[in-house]
Amino acid sequence: MLRSESLSLNMLITHSVDFPESTLPNSALSGVQLTTEKDFSDFTIYEARVQANSTVPFRSPDNKRSLHFYYCISGRGKFQASAGGEKRDICPDTVIALSSDVIYELTVSAEGPMRVFVVYYPDNELVYTSLAVVRSLAEIDGTERDVDWGNGHSWQYLLKPDGLPLGISKTRLNPVTSSKLAHQHHTESVYYTSGRVTYKWQDTSGTWVNHSSKVDAGNGTNVLLNDHDRHILENHEEYSNCISIFYPALTGKEEQVLTEDGFTGFESSY
């Protein structure tokens, strides 16, 4: 885990390759923890690794009611809402979002293991119930949720109209691009699954510091910008792909606005 001791801002960069595998809050899953409640109390992030030809429940953590979100990074399988229910295919770039009272059962194909990006959002008061959203990339490609923003492209799986507190997108960054960003109205977390990027930000002395992602076929890098961090995002010689979380969820109608110092962010539409 990287946390610069001199930072006045709270940017946190973690690499899944640096952590040992452990049990997730849903003890039926194992993988690595990328952020904790001390880093940001509103949601926590993990990557689960599910073995081939195995069956596991997608459910709330063992001892806490939470909405639970899943993004399939790699691998294939099937899932169903209940025993005897209709089975649906799950493949890379599929998102499943469930309230704490909803459980899905995942069966991974015998062809190989599955990597799943997992997010838990606490809901002890049961504000959200009976919610289940499942979307594949094919369902939103070419729709109004398919957005080109200049230096990259985003596919918006979850937005505020879906009734969930978090937004989830797949983002692809164009090669050799530099973006000056500062989201004043949203907390953002970004998990890179391919490519190489460098984040630059200022320490307490005003000096610009930087850190690059470490990504391979089995590991990635998560960047948590939990204090509306002003930063420069530089993508290197190839396309980079990442899973983006926005809290609160975007409406899908925001426009990026330019601040006086040249950084852009989404306007507030709440």
Side-chain angles (χ1 to χ4, degrees):
M1 179 181 296
L2 172 95
R3 186 191 294 278
S4 173
E5 295 179 356
S6 61
L7 287 184
S8 60
L9 303 179
N10 293 325
M11 180 177 289
L12 175 70
I13 300 179
T14 52
H15 308 290
S16 58
V17 70
D18 293 336
F19 296 96
E21 189 163 314
S22 61
T23 301
L24 269 60
N26 166 8
S27 58
L29 297 175
S30 62
V32 295
Q33 182 169 8
L34 296 164
T35 70
T36 70
E37 291 181 348
K38 291 182 179 179
D39 301 322
F40 188 65
S41 61
D42 289 292
F43 58 79
T44 52
I45 302 172
Y46 305 78
E47 186 190 298
R49 286 86 183 266
V50 188
Q51 296 303 310
N53 207 30
S54 62
T55 299
V56 295
F58 278 174
R59 57 172 170 78
S60 187
D62 297 358
N63 301 311
K64 179 184 290 186
R65 295 189 183 113
S66 293
L67 281 80
H68 40 128
F69 303 81
Y70 308 89
Y71 189 114
C72 178
I73 300 172
S74 62
R76 294 179 179 273
K78 293 183 179 294
F79 66 91
Q80 59 188 140
S82 60
E86 179 184 2
K87 291 187 177 182
R88 293 186 56 179
D89 292 329
I90 180 170
C91 61
D93 298 318
T94 300
V95 167
I96 300 173
L98 307 172
S99 54
S100 63
D101 58 332
V102 178
I103 299 174
Y104 276 13
E105 187 176 80
L106 167 71
T107 300
V108 179
S109 167
E111 298 174 1
M114 181 178 288
R115 288 176 65 199
V116 185
F117 181 76
V118 182
V119 183
Y120 295 118
Y121 178 93
D123 188 22
N124 291 321
E125 302 302 320
L126 285 179
V127 176
Y128 303 91
T129 59
S130 304
L131 292 177
V133 178
V134 179
R135 288 200 175 97
S136 66
L137 182 63
E139 292 177 84
I140 58 176
D141 193 35
T143 71
E144 62 180 5
R145 292 178 181 242
D146 179 345
V147 179
D148 190 300
W149 48 273
N151 284 352
H153 203 92
S154 293
W155 292 267
Q156 298 173 329
Y157 286 87
L158 296 178
L159 294 168
K160 186 181 180 182
D162 294 312
L164 296 158
L166 300 182
I168 295 181
S169 301
K170 170 187 170 71
T171 300
R172 182 186 65 203
L173 298 174
N174 295 336
V176 196
T177 51
S178 180
S179 305
K180 298 176 70 175
L181 302 170
H183 300 301
Q184 294 302 312
H185 305 289
H186 301 84
T187 296
E188 183 185 16
S189 188
V190 189
Y191 187 62
Y192 288 90
T193 58
S194 68
R196 189 166 78 89
V197 300
T198 297
Y199 276 77
K200 296 183 176 181
W201 66 97
Q202 287 176 298
D203 64 17
T204 52
S205 71
T207 301
W208 283 90
V209 296
N210 66 83
H211 193 79
S212 297
S213 61
K214 295 190 291 186
V215 177
D216 59 29
N219 293 282
T221 292
N222 194 77
V223 181
L224 175 63
L225 302 111
N226 58 358
D227 195 28
H228 310 294
D229 309 89
R230 195 175 61 145
H231 60 283
I232 298 173
L233 169 57
E234 294 184 345
N235 191 39
H236 293 258
E237 294 80 10
E238 60 187 58
Y239 286 103
S240 292
N241 289 284
C242 60
I243 305 162
S244 301
I245 299 173
F246 284 98
Y247 176 69
L250 299 175
T251 65
K253 303 298 182 181
E254 291 88 353
E255 294 182 359
Q256 288 207 336
V257 294
L258 185 68
T259 61
E260 291 183 359
D261 54 8
F263 288 79
T264 61
F266 292 115
E267 66 178 0
S268 176
S269 56
Y270 287 84

